[in-house]
Amino acid sequence: MSDKLLFDRIDEPGLDTIEVYMRRGGYESLKRALRMTPEEVLQNLLDSGLRGRGGAGFAMGKKVSFLPRGAMDKYLVCNADESEPGTFKDRELMQKSPHMLVEGMIIAAYAAGANRSFIYIRGEYELQAMKLEAAIHEAREAGFLGEDILGSGHSQTLVLHRGAGAYICGEETGLLDSLEGKRGNPRLKPPFPANQGLYQGPTLINNVETLATVPHIIKMGGTEYAKLGVDNSAGTKLISISGNVQRPGNYEIELGMKSRDIVYGLAGGPEPGREIKFWFPGGSSSPVLTPEDLELPYDFDSMAKAGSMLGSGAIIVVDDSNSVVDVALTLAKFYRHESCGKCTPCREGTNWTVKMLQRIHEGDATPMDLDIIASVQDQIMGNCLCVLGDAMAMPLSSMVAKFRGEFEQYIEEKRAAAGFGEMPEPSPIAIAGAA
Amino acid sequence: MPRPERRFVTFSIDGREVSAPEGVMLVDGAKYGDVEIPVFCYEPKLGAPVGACRMCLVEVEGIPKLQTACSTPVKDGMVVHTQTDRVREAQNSVIEFLLVNHPLDCPVCDKGGECPLQDITFGWGRGISRMVEPKRHFKKPLELSPLIAIDRERCILCYRCVRFSQEVSEDYQLVLNERGASTYVGTFDGHPYVAPFSGNIIELCPVGALTSRAYRFRARPWDIEGAGSVCTHCPAQCNVEFTVRDERVLRVLARDNEGVDDGWLCDKGRFAYQAIHSEERITEPLVRDSESGELVPATWEYALDVAAAALQAGGSKTAALAGGTTTNEEGFLLQRVVREALKSPHVDSRAGLPQVDLGLQQALAAPGLQATIPDLEFAHTVLVLGTDPIDDVASLDLRIRKGVRRNGVKLAVATSRPSALDPNAKLWLRYAPGGEHAFVAALEAAVTGSGDLSALCDAADADPKALEALAALLKDGGEDVVILWSQRLGAAPLPALLNVAAALRLEGRDGAGLIEVPVGGNGRGLREAGVQSNGGPGLSAPKAPGKPAREIAAALASGDLSTLWLLHADPVRDYADRRLWERAAANADALVAHATLLNDTLREHATVVFPAESYAEKEGTIVNLDGRVQRLRVAIGRPGAVRAEWQVIADLSKRLGLDLGVLTGPMATRQLVEAVPFYAGLTLKEIGGRGVRWQEREAASAAPAAPAGPVESGEPLPAPRPNGALRLGTYRPIWAAPEVEVSPALKFLAAKQQAELSPVDAERLGVDNGAKVSVTAGDATVLAKVFVRGNVPAGTVFLAEATAEQSATELLGEAPQLVSVEPYGQRPPVPLEGLARGARPSDDEVNS
Amino acid sequence: MSEQSPAVARYGHGSRIPGWDDSVDLGKDPAPVPDPATTPVPPQLREQIEAAMAKYPNFRSAAIPALHAAQDLHGWCSPEAIEQVACVMRLTPGYLTAVATFYDMFETEPVGRHRVYVCTNISCSLRGGPELLAAVQQAAGEDPDFNVRGFECLGACDIAPMASVNGEFVGPLELADAEQLVADLREGREVLPEKQLSRRACADPGAKAQAHE
């Protein structure tokens, strides 16, 4: 038995076909699940302690249990809009083992009582969409999708839906609007998707990796799966490492592994002669951590305790050849570009932040602007309709707080280069406002 | 469908105990405790809250994050804070963000002084700006439509305007383009946002981003006064507030009345006020000069003398027609003078439509059988029969859409012409123009299960299966059925309609019943006031029945009648058979008219034209289509020598030897109320600003009792068979009206004649979309531009009535008819055999 | 004060954003749902859109697939393309414009047929993404067949810096690869076959070790 679940022999040729997948025991979990009652399947999911792998880390079984019981149109939506910068794990999974996701979705839908299911895949993943489309077709031909699957009475359709390029569609309600054929604006919550989601029906939304894990939970049994990993962070996790490391890529680890072992052990650390300046532990939306934090175990709670988050499990490493200001500007520009524009703090806050950072970049700023930047991030946080605003504000706040010295030095140098010379007297307005 | 019941809950806000209806949002609930929570995007009229602007963040104990008060319903025991540091910080933040790109050009902004952004910034803003970056600048103002200017710098992206377009008027033309900070309000590929209700977005805009091109820079808020009244352009009678500066109406705003308009106005109601101040307005009496033969200005005394002499000479051979903005009082006094002083029974207000038997009228108007406008929103099923609200009674279009969208009302549309509501309907049915009687009889057959459905459907050229489905929907789709039917159906189908209502047991059921769409802004009120040939005040039987409008025309043309008295009526333009009316006007010995604008008929034939009041100058009452008696109030002084119309009628009456005993407007109202039993006791005070449905008052029991039992629905004639020609269907577009033509802002919308053809017929005739064609019936021809529409039934051509030129009324005879359509300018139109005006198809044709 | 960087136009008049400075054309008619009688739609496109509409409980869900199909046919979401989709879906062209302009992959201006998205987001920018974009842009020059765009994270940070070339992910790229990439496209060859992501094995040594039982 391999210690890999999702990545077990992932490169085996033909694994994307139902033939090889089934030869390796694929769809056995489905058969087993269909012999159980939906409640038993749900119990396994609850027992497994599986937390959502998309970013929020919400307990998956609990999410399923939120759906109302009874006969009605219920939906399962797989969030395959993997767009968080630094994250690319679902891409590899869908491309190489699409049936794992399909099987997981059928089991999850059975547990939730959902008869219609969708995969919302980001438009840029064209190869992965083709692979999934083929897999869905094969699964349907094999009788795993359609009416009365394997005589269980459970019926299910599965439609692959391609997006068209918008980060915000990874936000679950933005995704729902987009899937309904609208602009991908997030919705006001409540109502939550579990009650009123797709087409106003109860909807379960899960990430690719979460759903792909489901067959393994059924195979092992929920309680057995829960033994993997550490407390409150059960199971294995796919992590994507990128940035200034020697071996970027996807790795499957057991949660709780020491961060340093991931960054240096698996990914090889930065190029020789370079030091890590900071790292994002969970995608670009997570507050940055310093090299000292590499001693922490990589799990949900430890990252949260350190003031950041595990997020999508995407580690981005930034070495000392880069300026924190440049990274901040790249980041802010990204969030400005991806803000849907619906709510004020995010739309205007991201835009204003970019303008301020650009001013720093051009040498037309003073350290006081850092206070305004920090204050603007505070004004965004918690006041937005969805989490996109916070997704910029959190890492930016952390960068300004942890690297204030570097920001100030950068400002001074750029000012000098731009010929501004002496620092001006502080403006009373700026002081009053920043207070 | 029962309306939701409301119980009250108690919650605490800023330390006060407040009681508010359960389920209302905190923003509204707070008002019960006199707490104001600022909002931009929240507008309950637009549907569910979107929570976009974040202005209304408040602290709710037990919830860690600040909550948007616009989307949080009040609950028992909830503890809310709106004054804490945290809340204030959030409010300051949102204001600061909103102003990041707002130009703050308030001194030159049209919204200045009545701008929610200004007010809220003052009340909840930090008062300073930390933004030192340059603001974005764009070209401004830009045109969004001929009516609306857009200033994108000022836009705070609150979503109100696009939500209106998408979720209220459902025209889906105004949208947000791009994303994030680049988002802007726009349309498809530079097409203007022209839609019947577009002007509402001006009123919705909480900043100066959307402004009225007609009102821009005409006044500052401190220059103006608001004057509440009622719009008289259509029978919906939406409640309005005139913005008045120096005795001029500069703007019309909605004055929300849930029972009438739901807070929306159509663009005609919003912009046609310009007709009040038209250069062409008649402001002094005009009398035809015997020497020059021209109308020349005259003194009131002279004009009254001439008119009185003419009417005296006409005596019992005088006929009077009222329409347009005529109030109940004016109509009432008019019929008194004609009936009592001139001893003539010939008064009418029904726009040339067939006379309806008085007993039938009484039965259809029975208080227990009347539905209300809000019922359209909450019924199980609504049947729209023979009318397209967008043209006939605009604001009801929005009301019906709302019912379907919000409450799942099942809508059925049965018309001859494709309706704007078809896409919202569960079921839509078509019948041939001329097949109205057969169609309603078929509906009766389908609902009652008796009668020969297939023969009747054949006669109406309707689909029997669709009729069965409609009957099933009406019978089994829930008891609350509202049938919105048009006076334009004519008289013949009405017994069958009454039988349908009886079969569905609509009488006496709250939330169900009939609503008639009358023709003319006060069509219902005038009939109740007694302005009809076979009905006196209060739908009583008159001493002697008179001739209905069409017979009046024939009698004038033949000389049987000699004098015509017109109160805001323009039969040549508005009534069927234009050429008969032209002959009638030309042949009349005398023509006395009260009008605000001259038209060709008056110019050529009028003996005296009295300058009439516009609706903003009048006082009096009118009745909207569900029986709500509403009050017109004087908003501005009368221009020039214009006098009150009741006074002019009273003065004439005195000269004719009858003292009406009316010295003030309210005295006229009192006379009317005394004469109409079911208005008994009604006072102007009781009517107030919101109006009163007379059916809801005790006096309603005095409504005339209708003859009991089922009525004979009669043998319908089949709709004409096209047999190579085309059936003619007509409609009156919302934009076919003189007030549209003389309002500079609306002029671009004035209806032009177009021939709506099915693709099949267009191909058969060899005409393309946009080509010019001649439409001929007998020796009458109308020129029109072809408009190929996929959903027009083959075999029928639709033309507009009452257009300024080339009106379909040229072609309309007494009976439904066939026309020939030819490409224009290629060969001379050749009248087809047997297609003479009014010709009926032969029995062979009917039975083939 | 030093020279102004063009990045922030100061006190300038005019917009960098398409659409903001545009008035409507008052000569045009309003744009309701197009009438099928007067809006021809290529049969193949109609079929694709109708098939997409049939897949969902609510036909509106097919808006994005329908726009993808129309863009494939027309090369971009031209007003004509949008009208055709609107006609088949019975929606207003305005609705579809709103949708099309929201998503990065829909082109609302005419573009070249070779789609090259170069990632400039964080992981790629740490490894030279912006420079790569400049190099590809320079290599493509003014060639109207090319549509070279900087793009947000494409989900392939393991091969940073990378590009998506007509949907095929290639990386890690060096600046020198830009010329080759453009040449391959011009010649109709497979683009940088050895750098295609589809041929890349998983980085996890554990996964590899188990590749054969």
Side-chain angles (χ1 to χ4, degrees):
Chain A
M1 174 88 199
S2 154
D3 62 337
K4 307 287 170 192
L5 295 176
L6 302 167
F7 272 178
D8 179 22
R9 293 161 292 156
I10 189 84
D11 280 322
E12 182 167 342
L15 181 57
D16 56 343
T17 63
I18 199 164
E19 193 198 334
V20 176
Y21 183 70
M22 286 185 73
R23 199 176 65 221
R24 279 178 38 174
Y27 289 107
E28 288 305 318
S29 295
L30 173 64
K31 290 173 191 161
R32 170 187 272 200
L34 291 179
R35 283 192 297 269
M36 304 185 208
T37 64
E39 289 72 24
E40 284 164 347
V41 177
L42 173 59
Q43 195 54 50
N44 270 287
L45 295 177
L46 287 166
D47 292 345
S48 73
L50 175 66
R51 291 174 67 168
R53 304 310 200 206
F58 197 83
M60 193 245 177
K62 218 170 180 185
K63 211 167 177 180
V64 178
S65 69
F66 284 160
L67 261 69
R69 298 275 125 193
M72 60 182 92
D73 276 339
K74 281 184 273 190
Y75 303 92
L76 167 67
V77 178
C78 169
N79 184 346
D81 190 72
E82 185 175 59
S83 311
E84 174 75 11
T87 315
F88 43 91
K89 60 192 176 66
D90 298 341
R91 183 206 74 208
E92 187 142 25
L93 204 56
M94 290 188 287
Q95 177 187 325
K96 295 180 175 171
S97 189
H99 281 286
M100 201 190 291
L101 171 60
V102 173
E103 184 180 6
M105 284 189 71
I106 306 169
I107 299 170
Y110 177 65
N115 294 113
R116 281 180 175 276
S117 55
F118 298 87
I119 300 173
Y120 186 102
I121 186 168
R122 63 180 301 193
E124 295 88 338
Y125 281 178
E126 295 177 41
L127 171 67
Q128 292 72 18
M130 268 164 49
K131 299 276 187 193
L132 275 170
E133 196 72 87
I136 293 168
H137 181 76
E138 284 179 331
R140 201 181 296 126
E141 295 287 296
F144 297 137
L145 283 167
E147 295 294 312
D148 190 16
I149 297 164
L150 305 178
S152 65
H154 174 65
S155 302
Q156 189 181 346
T157 61
L158 175 54
V159 172
L160 180 77
H161 183 92
R162 279 185 63 211
Y167 170 73
I168 193 60
C169 294
E171 198 280 339
E172 58 180 13
T173 58
L175 183 151
L176 292 179
D177 260 26
S178 180
L179 184 49
E180 289 181 8
K182 304 173 190 161
R183 293 158 64 82
N185 289 326
R187 300 175 183 174
L188 206 53
K189 290 192 262 190
F192 290 93
N195 295 315
Q196 256 181 59
L198 191 63
Y199 311 120
Q200 301 299 307
T203 306
L204 173 67
I205 307 173
N206 276 120
N207 168 259
V208 173
E209 186 189 343
T210 318
L211 288 165
T213 305
V214 169
H216 300 285
I217 292 172
I218 297 302
K219 188 171 163 196
M220 300 167 68
T223 36
E224 200 58 33
Y225 180 86
K227 292 178 185 163
L228 296 170
V230 293
D231 252 6
N232 222 2
S233 294
T236 65
K237 170 95 191 76
L238 300 186
I239 53 165
S240 306
I241 314 178
S242 63
N244 301 124
V245 289
Q246 300 188 52
R247 290 191 295 276
N250 286 317
Y251 298 87
E252 183 170 7
I253 61 156
E254 244 184 270
L255 285 168
M257 188 173 175
K258 199 169 158 190
S259 304
R260 177 174 296 279
D261 294 343
I262 299 172
V263 173
Y264 281 91
L266 291 174
E271 294 290 328
R274 288 284 166 200
E275 290 296 323
I276 293 178
K277 186 182 269 183
F278 58 88
W279 55 293
F280 297 86
S284 67
S285 307
S286 56
V288 297
L289 295 179
T290 55
E292 295 78 67
D293 297 319
L294 284 169
E295 304 310 319
L296 295 168
Y298 193 69
D299 61 51
F300 286 102
D301 290 356
S302 306
M303 292 299 120
K305 221 178 285 168
S308 188
M309 59 190 197
L310 187 89
S312 56
I315 298 175
I316 307 169
V317 176
V318 182
D319 72 17
D320 55 4
S321 68
N322 297 284
S323 151
V324 67
V325 182
D326 293 343
V327 174
L329 182 57
T330 304
L331 207 64
K333 275 185 176 168
F334 165 69
Y335 287 106
R336 173 177 71 171
H337 180 75
E338 299 294 351
S339 167
C340 81
K342 186 172 180 176
C343 81
T344 310
C346 172
R347 178 184 69 237
E348 302 296 342
T350 54
N351 190 28
W352 188 8
T353 303
V354 168
K355 285 184 175 183
M356 288 188 283
L357 288 168
Q358 264 170 346
R359 220 151 35 75
I360 291 178
H361 189 73
E362 286 156 23
D364 186 10
T366 71
M368 233 163 353
D369 287 309
L370 294 175
D371 296 329
I372 303 182
I373 291 179
S375 153
V376 166
Q377 307 316 308
D378 285 346
Q379 294 190 166
I380 295 172
M381 269 188 273
N383 288 342
C384 296
L385 181 68
C386 80
V387 292
L388 191 141
D390 293 29
M392 176 193 75
M394 290 190 301
L396 261 177
S397 283
S398 71
M399 285 185 203
V400 175
K402 292 182 180 172
F403 296 93
R404 182 155 181 131
E406 190 183 331
F407 269 95
E408 286 182 0
Q409 191 189 345
Y410 187 100
I411 287 171
E412 300 254 7
E413 283 169 9
K414 285 284 185 179
R415 282 186 72 83
F420 277 94
E422 289 291 304
M423 211 69 90
E425 283 299 309
S427 131
I429 286 178
I431 292 172
Chain B
M1 202 178 299
R3 283 162 222 206
E5 267 181 45
R6 295 218 140 162
R7 83 185 178 90
F8 273 67
V9 295
T10 305
F11 66 105
S12 147
I13 186 160
D14 296 339
R16 297 176 219 194
E17 287 288 301
V18 175
S19 197
E22 188 180 30
V24 304
M25 297 304 166
L26 259 176
V27 166
D28 294 322
K31 290 177 188 156
Y32 287 81
D34 280 343
V35 172
E36 188 183 354
I37 299 173
V39 291
F40 290 112
C41 69
Y42 180 66
E43 170 52 71
K45 286 197 289 185
L46 295 173
V50 289
C53 76
R54 316 305 288 175
M55 193 61 231
C56 63
L57 288 170
V58 294
E59 210 172 320
V60 180
E61 280 186 15
I63 307 179
K65 280 179 83 171
L66 296 180
Q67 297 294 301
T68 45
C70 71
S71 66
T72 310
V74 293
K75 289 199 186 78
D76 248 329
M78 198 177 229
V79 182
V80 185
H81 302 283
T82 74
Q83 303 289 326
T84 58
D85 285 349
R86 235 179 114 205
V87 173
R88 195 158 306 142
E89 178 60 34
Q91 289 167 337
N92 288 343
S93 302
V94 173
I95 288 288
E96 184 172 32
F97 283 137
L98 285 174
L99 297 184
V100 158
N101 276 309
H102 186 85
L104 291 173
D105 56 350
C106 309
V108 295
C109 177
D110 210 48
K111 195 84 172 181
E114 51 180 18
C115 173
L117 182 61
Q118 260 184 342
D119 295 346
I120 293 174
T121 300
F122 184 72
W124 287 271
R126 199 179 267 136
I128 56 152
S129 172
R130 296 179 295 167
M131 156 101 175
V132 298
E133 286 78 13
K135 294 195 182 206
R136 300 190 297 198
H137 290 287
F138 304 108
K139 285 188 198 150
K140 60 188 247 179
L142 299 166
E143 284 150 340
L144 186 63
S145 83
L147 296 172
I148 305 164
I150 184 165
D151 183 324
R152 295 199 169 107
E153 277 179 8
R154 295 184 190 144
C155 176
I156 58 166
L157 291 172
C158 70
Y159 277 63
R160 283 186 177 202
C161 56
V162 295
R163 281 165 72 206
F164 175 80
S165 166
Q166 296 165 11
E167 290 168 37
V168 178
S169 71
E170 298 180 351
D171 58 63
Y172 241 118
Q173 290 184 39
L174 195 68
V175 293
L176 289 171
N177 287 327
E178 300 293 332
R179 189 169 80 191
S182 308
T183 312
Y184 68 94
V185 172
T187 57
F188 164 65
D189 194 30
H191 290 260
Y193 178 46
V194 176
F197 299 97
S198 67
N200 289 296
I201 64 171
I202 300 168
E203 223 174 306
L204 285 169
C205 184
V207 297
L210 296 169
T211 48
S212 157
R213 294 186 69 200
Y215 180 65
R216 272 173 78 82
F217 308 129
R218 299 296 195 285
R220 283 297 196 179
W222 48 89
D223 299 326
I224 57 177
E225 285 176 293
S229 193
V230 178
C231 174
T232 58
H233 291 309
C234 88
Q237 297 178 3
C238 300
N239 291 191
V240 295
E241 182 186 308
F242 295 113
T243 293
V244 177
R245 178 183 187 179
D246 300 338
E247 299 299 328
R248 283 177 76 87
V249 175
L250 292 187
R251 177 171 73 171
V252 175
L253 299 174
R255 184 165 60 83
D256 291 25
N257 187 342
E258 200 265 332
V260 179
D261 48 47
D262 213 18
W264 307 119
L265 292 183
C266 71
D267 286 359
K268 187 157 86 171
R270 187 176 296 276
F271 294 103
Y273 69 86
Q274 291 184 326
I276 298 169
H277 305 294
S278 165
E279 297 270 308
E280 294 172 41
R281 179 84 188 271
I282 309 168
T283 55
E284 53 194 343
L286 302 172
V287 176
R288 191 162 301 279
D289 181 54
S290 51
E291 281 175 22
S292 68
E294 298 288 315
L295 283 176
V296 293
T299 63
W300 271 103
E301 294 308 302
Y302 180 64
L304 284 165
D305 286 344
V306 174
L311 293 171
Q312 191 87 62
S316 64
K317 287 177 130 190
T318 303
L321 298 172
T325 57
T326 308
T327 62
N328 302 336
E329 288 79 2
E330 292 156 6
F332 173 75
L333 296 178
L334 175 75
Q335 61 87 29
R336 270 196 73 192
V337 178
V338 175
R339 285 181 170 139
E340 296 173 29
L342 300 175
K343 309 280 186 246
S344 163
H346 311 303
V347 286
D348 209 352
S349 62
R350 287 169 303 189
L353 292 163
Q355 173 168 294
V356 178
D357 172 71
L358 188 64
L360 194 55
Q361 281 192 49
Q362 291 167 344
L364 286 164
L369 197 53
Q370 306 301 296
T372 68
I373 292 173
D375 289 341
L376 289 168
E377 207 180 299
F378 296 99
H380 290 113
T381 310
V382 168
L383 168 62
V384 174
L385 179 58
T387 174
D388 195 343
I390 194 67
D391 287 320
D392 297 338
V393 52
S395 65
L396 291 201
D397 174 85
L398 298 185
R399 192 64 81 110
I400 293 167
R401 288 172 192 273
K402 182 182 178 191
V404 174
R405 188 179 58 246
R406 286 207 196 171
N407 303 329
V409 172
K410 296 180 281 292
L411 173 67
V413 176
T415 52
S416 53
R417 180 171 173 261
S419 159
L421 287 170
D422 284 350
N424 301 61
K426 205 169 176 62
L427 198 62
W428 53 260
L429 303 86
R430 292 288 102 87
Y431 52 81
E436 290 83 0
H437 186 184
F439 180 82
V440 184
L443 178 59
E444 181 192 348
V447 169
T448 61
S450 62
D452 189 345
L453 180 63
S454 89
L456 290 165
C457 283
D458 200 40
D461 199 4
D463 174 9
K465 283 211 181 68
L467 261 159
E468 274 167 2
L470 174 60
L473 187 66
L474 294 174
K475 283 198 294 188
D476 310 326
E479 305 84 354
D480 293 350
V481 174
V482 176
I483 301 178
L484 183 74
W485 61 281
S486 170
Q487 192 187 357
R488 292 169 60 95
L489 282 175
L494 302 185
L497 176 63
L498 205 53
N499 292 339
V500 170
L504 296 172
R505 286 189 282 279
L506 302 186
E507 176 132 24
R509 169 173 287 282
D510 272 352
L514 306 178
I515 304 179
E516 179 189 353
V517 180
V519 173
N522 189 27
R524 178 171 189 142
L526 290 177
R527 266 183 281 154
E528 291 178 356
V531 191
Q532 56 175 341
S533 51
N534 61 340
L539 301 182
S540 62
K543 283 199 190 91
K547 292 180 193 295
R550 221 197 116 74
E551 288 176 28
I552 290 173
L556 283 165
S558 69
D560 288 349
L561 290 177
S562 66
T563 304
L564 183 58
W565 187 1
L566 299 176
L567 207 59
H568 293 281
D570 182 0
V572 173
R573 175 168 183 156
D574 292 339
Y575 297 9
D577 211 342
R578 180 183 177 102
R579 297 197 304 171
L580 176 62
W581 277 106
E582 279 170 352
R583 286 206 303 282
N587 207 38
D589 292 344
L591 172 55
V592 176
H594 304 248
T596 53
L597 298 167
L598 277 185
N599 53 45
D600 287 344
T601 314
L602 298 183
R603 220 170 268 129
E604 284 164 33
H605 306 299
T607 314
V608 179
V609 181
F610 293 115
E613 295 161 294
S614 74
Y615 65 123
E617 293 144 21
K618 272 190 191 201
E619 64 177 327
T621 60
I622 52 177
V623 184
N624 89 341
L625 75 173
D626 73 352
R628 182 177 299 269
V629 183
Q630 306 204 87
R631 193 174 164 190
L632 284 179
R633 307 188 69 148
V634 178
I636 53 172
R638 301 181 200 97
V642 176
R643 285 185 186 173
E645 229 141 288
W646 58 263
Q647 188 188 350
V648 179
I649 298 169
D651 286 351
L652 276 173
S653 186
K654 206 172 274 172
R655 282 170 166 75
L656 296 169
L658 172 70
D659 185 350
L660 291 175
V662 174
L663 300 172
T664 63
M667 284 171 86
T669 308
R670 195 168 326 136
Q671 271 198 14
L672 167 80
V673 167
E674 280 163 10
V676 178
F678 48 82
Y679 291 171
L682 194 60
T683 62
L684 289 174
K685 192 174 170 202
E686 185 186 344
I687 295 169
R690 307 264 115 191
V692 178
R693 281 190 75 235
W694 64 258
Q695 294 91 339
E696 287 163 14
R697 301 174 71 251
E698 247 174 59
S701 57
V711 279
E712 185 49 57
S713 49
E715 189 62 40
L717 288 167
R721 302 279 139 180
N723 290 342
L726 289 167
R727 292 179 178 120
L728 172 64
T730 63
Y731 66 103
R732 179 166 188 159
I734 179 173
W735 306 119
E739 61 267 20
V740 171
E741 287 146 22
V742 301
S743 296
L746 285 180
K747 208 171 174 181
F748 78 105
L749 286 168
K752 294 182 188 68
Q753 190 55 272
Q754 57 184 18
E756 296 180 351
L757 284 173
S758 70
V760 181
D761 289 322
E763 200 184 328
R764 184 170 58 83
L765 297 164
V767 293
D768 291 332
N769 201 34
K772 209 166 183 190
V773 289
S774 62
V775 184
T776 307
D779 53 355
T781 292
V782 159
L783 300 181
K785 214 166 96 172
V786 171
F787 179 29
V788 181
R789 290 182 71 184
N791 49 2
V792 166
T796 303
V797 57
F798 289 98
L799 291 178
E801 289 177 22
T803 49
E805 282 163 5
Q806 307 294 341
S807 164
T809 52
E810 284 275 351
L811 306 174
L812 283 179
E814 202 168 2
Q817 61 211 306
L818 297 176
V819 293
S820 65
V821 176
E822 303 275 340
Y824 179 72
Q826 291 176 16
R827 51 195 156 149
V830 184
L832 291 174
E833 272 308 299
L835 291 181
R837 245 175 346 147
R840 308 288 316 175
S842 70
D843 286 347
D844 285 350
E845 283 170 322
V846 171
N847 298 325
S848 63
Chain C
M1 187 103 169
S2 70
E3 283 173 24
Q4 276 309 317
S5 142
V8 182
R10 295 220 120 176
Y11 313 113
H13 208 83
S15 163
R16 299 180 297 279
I17 305 157
W20 278 76
D21 276 337
D22 296 344
S23 183
V24 299
D25 179 353
L26 292 184
K28 285 184 180 175
D29 286 329
V33 179
D35 196 312
T38 45
T39 314
V41 181
Q44 188 200 345
L45 180 62
R46 176 182 293 278
E47 242 168 63
Q48 280 176 293
I49 297 173
E50 281 171 351
M53 284 161 71
K55 286 206 304 202
Y56 301 92
N58 184 327
F59 73 94
R60 271 190 199 209
S61 286
I64 290 178
L67 286 168
H68 273 306
Q71 176 160 297
D72 287 346
L73 181 71
H74 291 264
W76 61 296
C77 288
S78 61
E80 189 193 2
I82 286 191
E83 266 178 341
Q84 290 173 353
V85 176
C87 180
V88 179
M89 292 192 71
R90 310 310 299 140
L91 295 168
T92 61
Y95 176 90
L96 291 161
T97 311
V99 172
T101 54
F102 188 88
Y103 298 97
D104 286 340
M105 290 178 76
F106 292 130
E107 305 285 352
T108 46
E109 297 288 328
V111 290
R113 64 200 160 93
H114 295 310
R115 201 155 38 95
V116 185
Y117 299 158
V118 181
C119 176
T120 54
N121 207 297
I122 182 157
S123 292
C124 282
S125 76
L126 293 171
R127 303 181 80 104
E131 294 78 10
L132 176 66
L133 172 62
V136 178
Q137 273 168 340
Q138 199 187 355
E142 300 288 294
D143 191 336
D145 274 349
F146 279 80
N147 171 24
V148 182
R149 290 172 64 183
F151 222 80
E152 297 303 352
C153 183
L154 286 155
C157 319
D158 44 350
I159 53 166
M162 59 76 65
S164 164
V165 182
N166 290 330
E168 183 81 55
F169 286 13
V170 288
L173 299 180
E174 281 149 39
L175 294 187
D177 290 329
E179 289 289 345
Q180 183 66 39
L181 188 157
V182 168
D184 283 347
L185 281 172
R186 283 207 177 110
E187 306 298 322
R189 289 190 298 261
E190 224 184 320
V191 176
L192 300 171
E194 71 289 357
K195 297 216 169 179
Q196 290 181 356
L197 178 78
S198 52
R199 306 179 184 202
R200 198 175 165 92
C202 185
D204 192 333
K208 253 178 246 159
Q210 308 285 334
H212 39 85
E213 228 159 339

